[in-house]
Amino acid sequence: MSAANLSSEQSHAQHHDAPPRGITRWLYATNHKDIGVMYLVFGVLMFFVGGLLAELIRSELLTPTMRVLTPEAYNQVITIHGLVMVFAAVMPITTGFANYLIPLMIGAPDMALPRLNNWGFWLLPAAAVLLVLPWGLKLIGIGTGTIDTGWTMYAPLSIQAGPGADFAFVAVLLLGLSSTMASINILVTVAQQRAPGMSWLRLPVFVWSWVITALLLIAVFPALMAGCIMQITDRHFGTHFFSASGGGDPVLWEHIFWFFGHPEVYILLLPTAGLLPHILATFARKPLYGYKAQVYSFCAIGVMSIVVWAHHMFTSGMPTDVNIYFMLSTMAISVPVAVLFFCWFGTIWRGSMTFETPMLFALGYIVLFGIGGLTGLVLSDAAADQQYHNTYFLVAHFHYALFGGPIMGIFAALYYYLPKMTGRMYSEILGRWHFWLTLAAFNLVFMPQFLLGIAGMPRRIPDYALQFAPLNMVSSIGAFALGATQLLFLYNILRTAFGTSGAVASARVWEGSSGLEFTLPSPPPFHTFATPPAID
Amino acid sequence: MNAVTEPHRPYYIPNPSPYPVVLSGALFLLGLGAALRVNALTAGWWVLGAGALLAVYVLFAWFGRVIGESRAGVYGLQEDRAFRWGMLWFITSEVVFFASLFGVLFYERNIAVPWLASFNAPHSALAPFSPWPHFTAQWPNGGPAGQGFEVVNPWGIPALNTLLLLSSGVTVTWAHAGLRAGRRTQLKAGLALTIALGVTFLGFQLHEFSEAYRVLGLTLHSGVYGATFFILTGFHGLHVTIGAIMLAAMLARTWRGDFTPENHFAFEAVTWYWHFVDVVWLMLFVFVYWL
């Protein structure tokens, strides 16, 4: 259409090795490492925003009675905490690792569709702004603040909610577009850009985990986008998808949401489950154990995760035979997950282990995610779930699974790859303090919540009965400690990225590391593998 | 297609580009405008308008840039395959989107409505307490509180539309055959015919919607039947519109002398999309209009 800029086209076909200068390097980025770094920075930033909201929640729950927030504000804070942590913190960080690492790991010059890549990233800040903007609008007298339905946005509550809900649904549409674009790019890159000799069954485990993650995203996110459109038409255009007066059914929304939402749990989990074996093998100084078993487990988890969703809805009033099916299929999915655990144990078994910070976080992942998984088996029992579902037991289970899993994995991977990305070592002492304090504080926050749940404390409620007060205070104090500990982490990464005091990292970084990414200098040059590496 | 003769040709990595971030900005404005507008804030229209203008501009510029690169010969076999896989996965995500909408239709019709009516079953213990004692499970259904409406006769306009879209699938294939054989006139005629069939389809569809609203009393408010009917046919119509615009762009490029018998992936991508929209219509005709 525009033949005019063809002349500049020709000259631009040549590439420069130095990154462009100024802000346009980031705004107009087409380099996978730059885009990966933007994802990581954005995700870590939003991790702190979501964390701040968590501190607000625990401040309110420190003692009985309402002190810090109004009930309305409390509902908004828990909703945005959930949406931000899932969509704006964990997903962008794992996508950032994918962008940074996959081309390096498979010997590709870049992602297959670099401009699409950048588009996928820049949709995220747009969505994040839309999520929190209603708080700003409320200040100037428009609306009632953000969405206040909980991150699951259940109808009919979502139909009656204030204008903040529309912003959230639109934000989810943008997030869905972003994830779809990122997933398309990852699938095309892996299918298309592997160096000669890098066959499918030689791909690093992390790459495999992202192949399954991307397939899952394409298979389920469009369903949630369709659901969000139906929510908006129910709210404003008189349709009755989720309302019984027109023959619809609010439970339909729950099906749509969890058809997306359960695979989403694995979308959050799999990328770090794929990084874990790399880290364990490095610090056990052994080759990874059970490569094929792990790859096939990822595939099995991917398939099964699509057909177990309604175990989130045992208390929604489904027929008993439906409950039984979802109970059994949910229990079955623990089999491939257990295979992963066995492979991780096999990898460190009789290894000559050292316990640098990434290894500590990797081992912490196994323990905490293990607790999250096992308590998940308790909840998957449709009969027992009637008792536990709407209590703090579920909140504790969820956080063991998603903080214990993806977030511990993200810490492990950040410490593991930070020297590779920046060319400098982080402070090992600070890193170990970060691990041990995080481990202690995390258990202090969520172990009491298991007990509170068993004792019957309902979730999503800003106030509680007096007998729950002592354990809630312990949990809140743990939360403050957990939050403060993360400042150590922030200081450590900033010091590594911008300071000059860290030791210079070698190309290999770790004694036991292997993989194409460790054949490159630290930090790697702006463009890498312009000619494909030789794979033996 | 240089890659065949030059195996060591490096993969084309585009220079920094402003289009992605500007397109994200445009979508932000569109989203913000929509959220303001549905809450009856007039500013929404202005934000929506600005977003739409910006989006149209960026799409023109971005696609224009890619077309320019293609004409300048910077793409080889590898880039071509990357575009193919990308388009394939994009259509897959669209398949999931429509499958979800069909899933909603299935759920409302076969699960939600019978469940609501089960309260009134003669031997149900709940029958005396039913809030809607006269409600029965049937399809079409406007729900317990719904008003009466009539449905569109499938053997009128919808059957004609099926014929139109199926013919357009044939004409676009005929155009493709012309392109591959180097018969440019056949290519142009085939494309023009396909666009004409698509636009006629859209015209009939608009007419049908207006009849539904004015004569049949079938609207968005007509319970689950109206909701599923309009969301499925509406999103399909939107896709036909996008497809027709893309076909028009292909026709314009043909006129300008683009595409060779070997190298014309943009054209092929549009035909994939068009066939996909075709298949969705067949499902619509069977499950929405007919059964």
mmCIF file of all heavy atoms in Angstrom, chain A residues 1 6 9 12 15 28 30 112 115 119 166 170 193 219 223 236 241 244-246 248-249 252, chain B residues 11 13-17 20 24 31 38-39 65 68-69 96 100 107-108 143-145 224 256:
data_model
loop_
_atom_site.group_PDB
_atom_site.id
_atom_site.type_symbol
_atom_site.label_atom_id
_atom_site.label_comp_id
_atom_site.label_asym_id
_atom_site.label_seq_id
_atom_site.Cartn_x
_atom_site.Cartn_y
_atom_site.Cartn_z
ATOM 1 N N MET A 1 0.828 -1.190 0.000
ATOM 2 C CA MET A 1 0.000 0.000 0.000
ATOM 3 C C MET A 1 0.867 1.247 0.000
ATOM 4 O O MET A 1 0.601 2.199 -0.673
ATOM 5 C CB MET A 1 -0.905 0.021 1.225
ATOM 6 C CG MET A 1 -1.534 -1.319 1.454
ATOM 7 S SD MET A 1 -3.247 -1.219 1.894
ATOM 8 C CE MET A 1 -3.808 -2.818 1.341
ATOM 9 N N LEU A 6 9.765 2.363 0.647
ATOM 10 C CA LEU A 6 10.548 1.226 0.179
ATOM 11 C C LEU A 6 12.037 1.525 0.109
ATOM 12 O O LEU A 6 12.858 0.643 0.297
ATOM 13 C CB LEU A 6 10.058 0.780 -1.198
ATOM 14 C CG LEU A 6 8.983 -0.304 -1.123
ATOM 15 C CD1 LEU A 6 8.636 -0.776 -2.511
ATOM 16 C CD2 LEU A 6 9.441 -1.449 -0.255
ATOM 17 N N GLU A 9 13.459 0.876 3.211
ATOM 18 C CA GLU A 9 13.382 -0.573 3.408
ATOM 19 C C GLU A 9 14.691 -1.255 3.062
ATOM 20 O O GLU A 9 15.201 -2.069 3.810
ATOM 21 C CB GLU A 9 12.317 -1.092 2.437
ATOM 22 C CG GLU A 9 11.529 -2.237 2.962
ATOM 23 C CD GLU A 9 10.453 -1.720 3.863
ATOM 24 O OE1 GLU A 9 9.700 -0.836 3.453
ATOM 25 O OE2 GLU A 9 10.415 -2.199 4.979
ATOM 26 N N HIS A 12 17.498 -0.650 5.393
ATOM 27 C CA HIS A 12 17.283 -1.241 6.717
ATOM 28 C C HIS A 12 17.470 -2.741 6.732
ATOM 29 O O HIS A 12 17.491 -3.346 7.778
ATOM 30 C CB HIS A 12 15.875 -0.903 7.221
ATOM 31 C CG HIS A 12 15.789 0.494 7.741
ATOM 32 N ND1 HIS A 12 14.622 1.041 8.166
ATOM 33 C CD2 HIS A 12 16.738 1.432 7.898
ATOM 34 C CE1 HIS A 12 14.837 2.277 8.563
ATOM 35 N NE2 HIS A 12 16.112 2.534 8.397
ATOM 36 N N HIS A 15 21.618 -5.289 9.228
ATOM 37 C CA HIS A 15 21.396 -5.185 10.661
ATOM 38 C C HIS A 15 22.612 -4.705 11.404
ATOM 39 O O HIS A 15 23.740 -4.992 11.057
ATOM 40 C CB HIS A 15 20.933 -6.514 11.221
ATOM 41 C CG HIS A 15 19.472 -6.662 11.051
ATOM 42 N ND1 HIS A 15 18.587 -5.940 11.800
ATOM 43 C CD2 HIS A 15 18.758 -7.395 10.189
ATOM 44 C CE1 HIS A 15 17.381 -6.242 11.407
ATOM 45 N NE2 HIS A 15 17.448 -7.109 10.427
ATOM 46 N N TYR A 28 9.619 0.482 20.324
ATOM 47 C CA TYR A 28 9.544 -0.061 18.971
ATOM 48 C C TYR A 28 10.276 -1.398 18.853
ATOM 49 O O TYR A 28 10.615 -1.833 17.755
ATOM 50 C CB TYR A 28 10.154 0.918 17.953
ATOM 51 C CG TYR A 28 9.511 2.287 17.887
ATOM 52 C CD1 TYR A 28 10.088 3.315 17.152
ATOM 53 C CD2 TYR A 28 8.306 2.546 18.539
ATOM 54 C CE1 TYR A 28 9.500 4.570 17.079
ATOM 55 C CE2 TYR A 28 7.720 3.801 18.477
ATOM 56 C CZ TYR A 28 8.318 4.812 17.752
ATOM 57 O OH TYR A 28 7.737 6.037 17.685
ATOM 58 N N THR A 30 11.961 -4.944 18.410
ATOM 59 C CA THR A 30 11.688 -6.172 17.666
ATOM 60 C C THR A 30 12.665 -7.267 18.089
ATOM 61 O O THR A 30 12.643 -8.347 17.536
ATOM 62 C CB THR A 30 11.840 -5.963 16.142
ATOM 63 O OG1 THR A 30 13.065 -5.275 15.897
ATOM 64 C CG2 THR A 30 10.690 -5.173 15.586
ATOM 65 N N ALA A 112 10.037 -15.871 15.666
ATOM 66 C CA ALA A 112 9.694 -15.928 14.249
ATOM 67 C C ALA A 112 8.977 -14.663 13.789
ATOM 68 O O ALA A 112 9.128 -14.241 12.644
ATOM 69 C CB ALA A 112 8.828 -17.152 13.974
ATOM 70 N N ARG A 115 7.576 -8.398 15.239
ATOM 71 C CA ARG A 115 6.678 -7.261 15.469
ATOM 72 C C ARG A 115 5.433 -7.701 16.221
ATOM 73 O O ARG A 115 4.942 -7.002 17.114
ATOM 74 C CB ARG A 115 6.314 -6.589 14.146
ATOM 75 C CG ARG A 115 7.443 -5.704 13.637
ATOM 76 C CD ARG A 115 7.155 -5.148 12.265
ATOM 77 N NE ARG A 115 7.232 -6.186 11.260
ATOM 78 C CZ ARG A 115 7.668 -5.999 10.012
ATOM 79 N NH1 ARG A 115 8.086 -4.799 9.632
ATOM 80 N NH2 ARG A 115 7.694 -6.974 9.158
ATOM 81 N N TRP A 119 3.817 -6.356 19.832
ATOM 82 C CA TRP A 119 2.405 -6.021 19.978
ATOM 83 C C TRP A 119 1.831 -6.767 21.190
ATOM 84 O O TRP A 119 1.153 -6.197 22.033
ATOM 85 C CB TRP A 119 1.639 -6.393 18.705
ATOM 86 C CG TRP A 119 0.218 -5.974 18.740
ATOM 87 C CD1 TRP A 119 -0.289 -4.850 19.318
ATOM 88 C CD2 TRP A 119 -0.901 -6.682 18.192
ATOM 89 N NE1 TRP A 119 -1.642 -4.816 19.158
ATOM 90 C CE2 TRP A 119 -2.041 -5.925 18.479
ATOM 91 C CE3 TRP A 119 -1.024 -7.883 17.498
ATOM 92 C CZ2 TRP A 119 -3.313 -6.335 18.075
ATOM 93 C CZ3 TRP A 119 -2.294 -8.277 17.098
ATOM 94 C CH2 TRP A 119 -3.423 -7.508 17.380
ATOM 95 N N ASP A 166 -17.112 -3.507 33.508
ATOM 96 C CA ASP A 166 -16.913 -3.384 32.057
ATOM 97 C C ASP A 166 -15.439 -3.193 31.726
ATOM 98 O O ASP A 166 -14.931 -3.754 30.766
ATOM 99 C CB ASP A 166 -17.720 -2.204 31.514
ATOM 100 C CG ASP A 166 -19.202 -2.418 31.729
ATOM 101 O OD1 ASP A 166 -19.700 -3.475 31.323
ATOM 102 O OD2 ASP A 166 -19.843 -1.545 32.332
ATOM 103 N N VAL A 170 -13.207 -5.714 29.379
ATOM 104 C CA VAL A 170 -12.445 -5.219 28.233
ATOM 105 C C VAL A 170 -10.958 -5.523 28.427
ATOM 106 O O VAL A 170 -10.262 -5.946 27.494
ATOM 107 C CB VAL A 170 -12.690 -3.704 28.054
ATOM 108 C CG1 VAL A 170 -11.727 -3.136 27.043
ATOM 109 C CG2 VAL A 170 -14.122 -3.453 27.631
ATOM 110 N N GLN A 193 12.046 -22.369 13.752
ATOM 111 C CA GLN A 193 13.339 -21.699 13.868
ATOM 112 C C GLN A 193 14.417 -22.543 14.521
ATOM 113 O O GLN A 193 15.477 -22.029 14.832
ATOM 114 C CB GLN A 193 13.178 -20.421 14.706
ATOM 115 C CG GLN A 193 12.142 -19.458 14.185
ATOM 116 C CD GLN A 193 12.669 -18.668 13.033
ATOM 117 O OE1 GLN A 193 12.704 -19.163 11.917
ATOM 118 N NE2 GLN A 193 13.104 -17.466 13.279
ATOM 119 N N ALA A 219 -6.075 -22.894 23.050
ATOM 120 C CA ALA A 219 -7.253 -23.753 23.151
ATOM 121 C C ALA A 219 -8.299 -23.212 24.109
ATOM 122 O O ALA A 219 -9.462 -23.601 24.019
ATOM 123 C CB ALA A 219 -6.839 -25.164 23.583
ATOM 124 N N ALA A 223 -12.252 -18.903 24.529
ATOM 125 C CA ALA A 223 -13.525 -19.197 25.187
ATOM 126 C C ALA A 223 -13.831 -18.137 26.242
ATOM 127 O O ALA A 223 -14.967 -17.656 26.357
ATOM 128 C CB ALA A 223 -13.485 -20.583 25.822
ATOM 129 N N HIS A 236 -25.463 -4.853 29.299
ATOM 130 C CA HIS A 236 -25.889 -3.595 28.657
ATOM 131 C C HIS A 236 -26.798 -3.746 27.449
ATOM 132 O O HIS A 236 -27.387 -2.770 27.015
ATOM 133 C CB HIS A 236 -24.656 -2.790 28.234
ATOM 134 C CG HIS A 236 -23.814 -2.377 29.383
ATOM 135 N ND1 HIS A 236 -24.225 -1.423 30.291
ATOM 136 C CD2 HIS A 236 -22.602 -2.798 29.806
ATOM 137 C CE1 HIS A 236 -23.287 -1.268 31.217
ATOM 138 N NE2 HIS A 236 -22.296 -2.092 30.943
ATOM 139 N N PHE A 241 -27.867 -14.543 28.588
ATOM 140 C CA PHE A 241 -27.026 -15.745 28.611
ATOM 141 C C PHE A 241 -26.947 -16.329 30.013
ATOM 142 O O PHE A 241 -26.961 -17.537 30.196
ATOM 143 C CB PHE A 241 -25.611 -15.416 28.133
ATOM 144 C CG PHE A 241 -25.518 -15.119 26.674
ATOM 145 C CD1 PHE A 241 -25.277 -13.833 26.229
ATOM 146 C CD2 PHE A 241 -25.666 -16.140 25.749
ATOM 147 C CE1 PHE A 241 -25.185 -13.563 24.879
ATOM 148 C CE2 PHE A 241 -25.573 -15.874 24.397
ATOM 149 C CZ PHE A 241 -25.340 -14.573 23.956
ATOM 150 N N ALA A 244 -31.689 -16.571 34.478
ATOM 151 C CA ALA A 244 -32.748 -17.573 34.346
ATOM 152 C C ALA A 244 -34.044 -16.973 33.815
ATOM 153 O O ALA A 244 -34.826 -17.670 33.172
ATOM 154 C CB ALA A 244 -33.002 -18.241 35.688
ATOM 155 N N SER A 245 -34.291 -15.691 34.027
ATOM 156 C CA SER A 245 -35.557 -15.116 33.573
ATOM 157 C C SER A 245 -35.683 -15.195 32.060
ATOM 158 O O SER A 245 -36.788 -15.213 31.528
ATOM 159 C CB SER A 245 -35.690 -13.672 34.043
ATOM 160 O OG SER A 245 -34.764 -12.864 33.356
ATOM 161 N N GLY A 246 -34.545 -15.268 31.358
ATOM 162 C CA GLY A 246 -34.601 -15.406 29.908
ATOM 163 C C GLY A 246 -34.274 -16.824 29.455
ATOM 164 O O GLY A 246 -34.048 -17.058 28.272
ATOM 165 N N GLY A 248 -31.620 -18.470 30.502
ATOM 166 C CA GLY A 248 -30.185 -18.705 30.622
ATOM 167 C C GLY A 248 -29.826 -19.279 31.980
ATOM 168 O O GLY A 248 -30.700 -19.656 32.758
ATOM 169 N N ASP A 249 -28.515 -19.299 32.272
ATOM 170 C CA ASP A 249 -28.077 -19.984 33.477
ATOM 171 C C ASP A 249 -26.772 -19.358 33.961
ATOM 172 O O ASP A 249 -25.773 -19.383 33.241
ATOM 173 C CB ASP A 249 -27.861 -21.462 33.139
ATOM 174 C CG ASP A 249 -27.497 -22.274 34.369
ATOM 175 O OD1 ASP A 249 -27.388 -21.697 35.458
ATOM 176 O OD2 ASP A 249 -27.313 -23.492 34.212
ATOM 177 N N LEU A 252 -23.622 -21.325 33.615
ATOM 178 C CA LEU A 252 -22.930 -21.354 32.321
ATOM 179 C C LEU A 252 -21.657 -20.518 32.371
ATOM 180 O O LEU A 252 -20.621 -20.911 31.832
ATOM 181 C CB LEU A 252 -23.858 -20.861 31.209
ATOM 182 C CG LEU A 252 -23.203 -20.670 29.838
ATOM 183 C CD1 LEU A 252 -22.625 -21.982 29.319
ATOM 184 C CD2 LEU A 252 -24.204 -20.106 28.841
ATOM 185 N N TYR B 11 17.833 -15.128 8.620
ATOM 186 C CA TYR B 11 16.409 -14.882 8.820
ATOM 187 C C TYR B 11 16.167 -13.382 8.904
ATOM 188 O O TYR B 11 16.936 -12.647 9.511
ATOM 189 C CB TYR B 11 15.956 -15.546 10.115
ATOM 190 C CG TYR B 11 14.474 -15.594 10.276
ATOM 191 C CD1 TYR B 11 13.722 -16.572 9.639
ATOM 192 C CD2 TYR B 11 13.812 -14.654 11.057
ATOM 193 C CE1 TYR B 11 12.362 -16.618 9.778
ATOM 194 C CE2 TYR B 11 12.439 -14.692 11.199
ATOM 195 C CZ TYR B 11 11.723 -15.679 10.558
ATOM 196 O OH TYR B 11 10.357 -15.724 10.700
ATOM 197 N N ILE B 13 14.975 -10.212 10.312
ATOM 198 C CA ILE B 13 14.441 -9.639 11.552
ATOM 199 C C ILE B 13 14.195 -8.164 11.310
ATOM 200 O O ILE B 13 15.109 -7.407 11.024
ATOM 201 C CB ILE B 13 15.430 -9.822 12.707
ATOM 202 C CG1 ILE B 13 15.621 -11.320 12.962
ATOM 203 C CG2 ILE B 13 14.915 -9.142 13.962
ATOM 204 C CD1 ILE B 13 16.914 -11.648 13.586
ATOM 205 N N PRO B 14 12.917 -7.752 11.379
ATOM 206 C CA PRO B 14 12.598 -6.367 11.034
ATOM 207 C C PRO B 14 13.262 -5.389 11.990
ATOM 208 O O PRO B 14 13.524 -5.711 13.143
ATOM 209 C CB PRO B 14 11.082 -6.309 11.161
ATOM 210 C CG PRO B 14 10.691 -7.498 11.949
ATOM 211 C CD PRO B 14 11.745 -8.528 11.754
ATOM 212 N N ASN B 15 13.514 -4.198 11.487
ATOM 213 C CA ASN B 15 14.038 -3.138 12.327
ATOM 214 C C ASN B 15 12.975 -2.688 13.302
ATOM 215 O O ASN B 15 11.801 -2.992 13.137
ATOM 216 C CB ASN B 15 14.484 -1.967 11.452
ATOM 217 C CG ASN B 15 15.891 -2.169 10.965
ATOM 218 O OD1 ASN B 15 16.812 -2.254 11.761
ATOM 219 N ND2 ASN B 15 16.028 -2.302 9.658
ATOM 220 N N PRO B 16 13.393 -1.939 14.355
ATOM 221 C CA PRO B 16 12.396 -1.423 15.298
ATOM 222 C C PRO B 16 11.233 -0.775 14.555
ATOM 223 O O PRO B 16 11.432 -0.087 13.557
ATOM 224 C CB PRO B 16 13.189 -0.401 16.096
ATOM 225 C CG PRO B 16 14.575 -0.940 16.083
ATOM 226 C CD PRO B 16 14.745 -1.603 14.737
ATOM 227 N N SER B 17 10.020 -1.050 15.055
ATOM 228 C CA SER B 17 8.840 -0.618 14.321
ATOM 229 C C SER B 17 7.844 0.045 15.274
ATOM 230 O O SER B 17 7.578 -0.482 16.358
ATOM 231 C CB SER B 17 8.189 -1.833 13.663
ATOM 232 O OG SER B 17 6.868 -1.531 13.316
ATOM 233 N N PRO B 20 3.431 -1.807 16.275
ATOM 234 C CA PRO B 20 2.825 -2.612 17.350
ATOM 235 C C PRO B 20 2.375 -1.779 18.543
ATOM 236 O O PRO B 20 1.251 -1.942 19.027
ATOM 237 C CB PRO B 20 3.945 -3.573 17.738
ATOM 238 C CG PRO B 20 4.796 -3.674 16.526
ATOM 239 C CD PRO B 20 4.737 -2.323 15.892
ATOM 240 N N SER B 24 -1.444 -1.149 19.907
ATOM 241 C CA SER B 24 -1.871 -1.401 21.284
ATOM 242 C C SER B 24 -2.563 -0.172 21.860
ATOM 243 O O SER B 24 -3.577 -0.289 22.541
ATOM 244 C CB SER B 24 -0.678 -1.778 22.162
ATOM 245 O OG SER B 24 -0.123 -2.985 21.728
ATOM 246 N N GLY B 31 -11.021 0.038 23.750
ATOM 247 C CA GLY B 31 -11.535 -0.611 24.960
ATOM 248 C C GLY B 31 -12.069 0.399 25.948
ATOM 249 O O GLY B 31 -13.167 0.250 26.491
ATOM 250 N N VAL B 38 -20.731 2.149 27.156
ATOM 251 C CA VAL B 38 -21.796 1.295 27.670
ATOM 252 C C VAL B 38 -22.305 1.802 29.015
ATOM 253 O O VAL B 38 -23.387 1.429 29.448
ATOM 254 C CB VAL B 38 -21.363 -0.187 27.804
ATOM 255 C CG1 VAL B 38 -21.163 -0.819 26.442
ATOM 256 C CG2 VAL B 38 -20.143 -0.338 28.679
ATOM 257 N N ASN B 39 -21.528 2.648 29.679
ATOM 258 C CA ASN B 39 -22.008 3.244 30.920
ATOM 259 C C ASN B 39 -22.539 4.651 30.681
ATOM 260 O O ASN B 39 -22.565 5.482 31.601
ATOM 261 C CB ASN B 39 -20.889 3.244 31.961
ATOM 262 C CG ASN B 39 -20.624 1.840 32.458
ATOM 263 O OD1 ASN B 39 -21.490 1.229 33.068
ATOM 264 N ND2 ASN B 39 -19.455 1.304 32.149
ATOM 265 N N ARG B 65 3.669 -1.811 5.165
ATOM 266 C CA ARG B 65 5.087 -2.051 5.386
ATOM 267 C C ARG B 65 5.457 -3.501 5.026
ATOM 268 O O ARG B 65 6.447 -3.758 4.334
ATOM 269 C CB ARG B 65 5.386 -1.772 6.858
ATOM 270 C CG ARG B 65 6.757 -2.137 7.301
ATOM 271 C CD ARG B 65 7.645 -0.932 7.294
ATOM 272 N NE ARG B 65 9.032 -1.339 7.408
ATOM 273 C CZ ARG B 65 10.033 -0.484 7.447
ATOM 274 N NH1 ARG B 65 9.808 0.804 7.368
ATOM 275 N NH2 ARG B 65 11.262 -0.912 7.556
ATOM 276 N N GLY B 68 5.382 -4.002 1.422
ATOM 277 C CA GLY B 68 6.576 -3.398 0.836
ATOM 278 C C GLY B 68 7.781 -4.308 0.988
ATOM 279 O O GLY B 68 8.556 -4.515 0.047
ATOM 280 N N GLU B 69 7.925 -4.874 2.188
ATOM 281 C CA GLU B 69 9.055 -5.789 2.414
ATOM 282 C C GLU B 69 8.965 -7.002 1.500
ATOM 283 O O GLU B 69 9.965 -7.469 0.951
ATOM 284 C CB GLU B 69 9.063 -6.242 3.883
ATOM 285 C CG GLU B 69 9.539 -5.170 4.845
ATOM 286 C CD GLU B 69 9.300 -5.546 6.299
ATOM 287 O OE1 GLU B 69 8.757 -6.633 6.560
ATOM 288 O OE2 GLU B 69 9.663 -4.738 7.176
ATOM 289 N N VAL B 96 -11.685 -21.917 18.073
ATOM 290 C CA VAL B 96 -12.049 -22.078 19.480
ATOM 291 C C VAL B 96 -13.110 -21.050 19.875
ATOM 292 O O VAL B 96 -14.059 -21.362 20.591
ATOM 293 C CB VAL B 96 -10.808 -21.942 20.386
ATOM 294 C CG1 VAL B 96 -11.213 -22.005 21.852
ATOM 295 C CG2 VAL B 96 -9.804 -23.025 20.070
ATOM 296 N N SER B 100 -16.761 -22.099 21.177
ATOM 297 C CA SER B 100 -17.304 -21.711 22.478
ATOM 298 C C SER B 100 -18.725 -21.199 22.326
ATOM 299 O O SER B 100 -19.604 -21.519 23.136
ATOM 300 C CB SER B 100 -16.463 -20.621 23.119
ATOM 301 O OG SER B 100 -15.109 -20.915 23.002
ATOM 302 N N TYR B 107 -25.424 -25.648 25.427
ATOM 303 C CA TYR B 107 -25.690 -25.667 26.872
ATOM 304 C C TYR B 107 -27.057 -25.049 27.173
ATOM 305 O O TYR B 107 -27.852 -25.616 27.920
ATOM 306 C CB TYR B 107 -24.584 -24.902 27.603
ATOM 307 C CG TYR B 107 -24.733 -24.937 29.109
ATOM 308 C CD1 TYR B 107 -24.068 -25.889 29.866
ATOM 309 C CD2 TYR B 107 -25.548 -24.021 29.772
ATOM 310 C CE1 TYR B 107 -24.211 -25.940 31.238
ATOM 311 C CE2 TYR B 107 -25.700 -24.067 31.144
ATOM 312 C CZ TYR B 107 -25.025 -25.025 31.881
ATOM 313 O OH TYR B 107 -25.179 -25.069 33.236
ATOM 314 N N GLU B 108 -27.333 -23.889 26.582
ATOM 315 C CA GLU B 108 -28.612 -23.214 26.871
ATOM 316 C C GLU B 108 -29.785 -24.085 26.429
ATOM 317 O O GLU B 108 -30.779 -24.233 27.135
ATOM 318 C CB GLU B 108 -28.694 -21.860 26.148
ATOM 319 C CG GLU B 108 -27.575 -20.878 26.446
ATOM 320 C CD GLU B 108 -27.690 -20.184 27.796
ATOM 321 O OE1 GLU B 108 -28.311 -20.752 28.701
ATOM 322 O OE2 GLU B 108 -27.126 -19.070 27.932
ATOM 323 N N GLY B 143 -37.418 -17.896 27.578
ATOM 324 C CA GLY B 143 -37.279 -17.884 29.022
ATOM 325 C C GLY B 143 -38.585 -17.636 29.733
ATOM 326 O O GLY B 143 -39.559 -17.189 29.124
ATOM 327 N N PRO B 144 -38.637 -17.928 31.057
ATOM 328 C CA PRO B 144 -39.871 -17.794 31.826
ATOM 329 C C PRO B 144 -40.467 -16.389 31.754
ATOM 330 O O PRO B 144 -41.687 -16.231 31.772
ATOM 331 C CB PRO B 144 -39.429 -18.115 33.256
ATOM 332 C CG PRO B 144 -38.186 -18.898 33.120
ATOM 333 C CD PRO B 144 -37.521 -18.425 31.866
ATOM 334 N N ALA B 145 -39.630 -15.374 31.694
ATOM 335 C CA ALA B 145 -40.146 -14.009 31.696
ATOM 336 C C ALA B 145 -40.147 -13.413 30.288
ATOM 337 O O ALA B 145 -40.350 -12.219 30.116
ATOM 338 C CB ALA B 145 -39.301 -13.146 32.633
ATOM 339 N N VAL B 224 -32.815 -16.562 25.794
ATOM 340 C CA VAL B 224 -31.619 -17.244 25.309
ATOM 341 C C VAL B 224 -31.651 -17.476 23.808
ATOM 342 O O VAL B 224 -30.608 -17.519 23.167
ATOM 343 C CB VAL B 224 -31.391 -18.601 26.009
ATOM 344 C CG1 VAL B 224 -30.678 -18.400 27.310
ATOM 345 C CG2 VAL B 224 -32.670 -19.363 26.177
ATOM 346 N N ARG B 256 -2.600 -3.802 -8.834
ATOM 347 C CA ARG B 256 -1.320 -3.110 -8.818
ATOM 348 C C ARG B 256 -0.206 -3.983 -9.379
ATOM 349 O O ARG B 256 0.921 -3.534 -9.545
ATOM 350 C CB ARG B 256 -0.987 -2.742 -7.370
ATOM 351 C CG ARG B 256 -0.083 -1.557 -7.239
ATOM 352 C CD ARG B 256 0.080 -1.192 -5.788
ATOM 353 N NE ARG B 256 0.758 -2.250 -5.031
ATOM 354 C CZ ARG B 256 1.153 -2.089 -3.768
ATOM 355 N NH1 ARG B 256 0.913 -0.961 -3.132
ATOM 356 N NH2 ARG B 256 1.762 -3.067 -3.129
#
